[in-house]
Amino acid sequence: MLAIIIIGDEILSGQVSDENLPFMIERFSRAGYAPREVRIIGDNVALISRTVQELLRSYTYVVTAGGVGPTHDDLTHAGVAAAFGVGLEAHPHMMRFLGATAGADLPPNVKRMAMLPHGSEIIGGDDGHWPIIRKQNCFMLPGLPHALRDKIPRLVALLPRLSPAWDAAVYLNADEVLFADWLDELQRSHSEVTIGSYPVVHHPDFRTRITISATDPHAVGSVTAQIERYARDKNWHVRTQNPVSRGGVPDGA
């Protein structure tokens, strides 16, 4: 339903550590829009264009982060424009925003930040914060963490409201190879939930964490209870985390 593209040669080269992705995943997941795919790509118009096109064929929304600044390697707007087969144009709303923050006589490098894909929509900016730039179902966000973070709640508010996912977990003192077949059968019989199994190394109390996720808390609770009973019968059960909404609300609250 939603995919994220992190754009920047500096991320791929290791010169800068990405701080945006964990924040974006957590906030989108809370709202029921857990990203289905994430790509990290360099500053290249053709690559950006191809990636945006590919992801929009598979997902409803694509969110990019990075590459919207004033320098020669800020190429996200050009890449998105190419993905939609349109040109760049000076957006009057963006020009006014930049003029209010940088002065009426904008230097060329600042003006290039107003060169947006034809037909783009500018959302916000009246409060002095960088606006959200939208071209149909592609949202272009800045890469600076402090500039990006205030936009995610505003972007989420633009999307259709969904039920947030609920998560539970069962911790076992057993290696997952011992119950892999049983867990596989449980997943096949309960397609309404997503079950994950993750080995845990060097923990004194448990060896495996099994996660259960779905938008229906009762389905999560039911499958969690089945896993807990199975683990208790095998004397593997350590503890259970009851269903909790990704919005932070425990089941039954």
Side-chain angles (χ1 to χ4, degrees):
M1 184 177 296
L2 184 146
I4 294 172
I5 308 173
I6 304 295
I7 300 171
D9 290 341
E10 71 279 10
I11 303 295
L12 289 171
S13 66
Q15 297 177 56
V16 175
S17 296
D18 175 68
E19 300 177 24
N20 292 325
L21 186 56
F23 179 84
M24 296 172 76
I25 289 174
E26 190 267 337
R27 291 305 174 94
F28 283 128
S29 296
R30 274 194 200 180
Y33 285 92
R36 294 293 184 262
E37 187 171 347
V38 174
R39 298 195 193 180
I40 302 175
I41 63 175
D43 298 301
N44 179 279
V45 172
L47 178 59
I48 295 168
S49 173
R50 183 171 70 250
T51 304
V52 169
Q53 287 179 328
E54 289 174 358
L55 293 178
L56 281 175
R57 282 196 291 266
S58 300
Y59 305 103
T60 307
Y61 302 103
V62 170
V63 181
T64 72
V68 299
T71 60
H72 69 282
D73 56 350
D74 288 309
L75 301 172
T76 297
H77 294 160
V80 172
F84 284 94
V86 299
L88 293 172
E89 63 181 7
H91 196 290
H93 186 154
M94 196 66 179
M95 289 290 286
R96 287 194 298 271
F97 170 79
L98 293 170
T101 57
D105 188 17
L106 296 177
N109 64 331
V110 175
K111 286 182 179 179
R112 73 178 277 140
M113 291 190 288
M115 298 298 294
L116 307 182
H118 175 75
S120 293
E121 179 184 3
I122 302 299
I123 303 167
D126 297 334
D127 57 359
H129 292 91
W130 194 270
I132 295 171
I133 302 171
R134 177 178 189 170
K135 173 60 179 174
Q136 297 184 22
N137 283 0
C138 180
F139 297 88
M140 292 159 271
L141 303 182
L144 288 175
H146 75 272
L148 175 138
R149 293 191 175 206
D150 76 303
K151 289 162 190 57
I152 300 301
R154 289 191 283 162
L155 196 162
V156 167
L158 298 172
L159 305 179
R161 187 174 178 84
L162 297 179
S163 298
W166 290 74
D167 301 302
V170 182
Y171 296 82
L172 282 62
N173 185 22
D175 294 326
E176 59 183 358
V177 66
L178 298 175
F179 53 83
D181 291 341
W182 179 85
L183 201 64
D184 184 46
E185 179 59 34
L186 184 68
Q187 177 66 89
R188 284 200 298 268
S189 62
H190 291 279
S191 59
E192 72 276 14
V193 304
T194 299
I195 302 172
S197 179
Y198 307 97
V200 180
V201 181
H202 304 313
H203 195 283
D205 298 325
F206 53 86
R207 297 182 184 177
T208 306
R209 177 172 63 96
I210 299 176
T211 62
I212 309 94
S213 302
T215 56
D216 181 354
H218 301 295
V220 173
S222 175
V223 173
T224 300
Q226 291 183 60
I227 296 172
E228 181 177 344
R229 286 194 298 270
Y230 177 84
R232 287 188 184 279
D233 288 343
K234 299 287 187 179
N235 294 316
W236 293 340
H237 182 263
V238 175
R239 63 183 175 89
T240 297
Q241 172 198 302
N242 290 323
V244 175
S245 166
R246 291 184 189 169
V249 182
D251 191 15

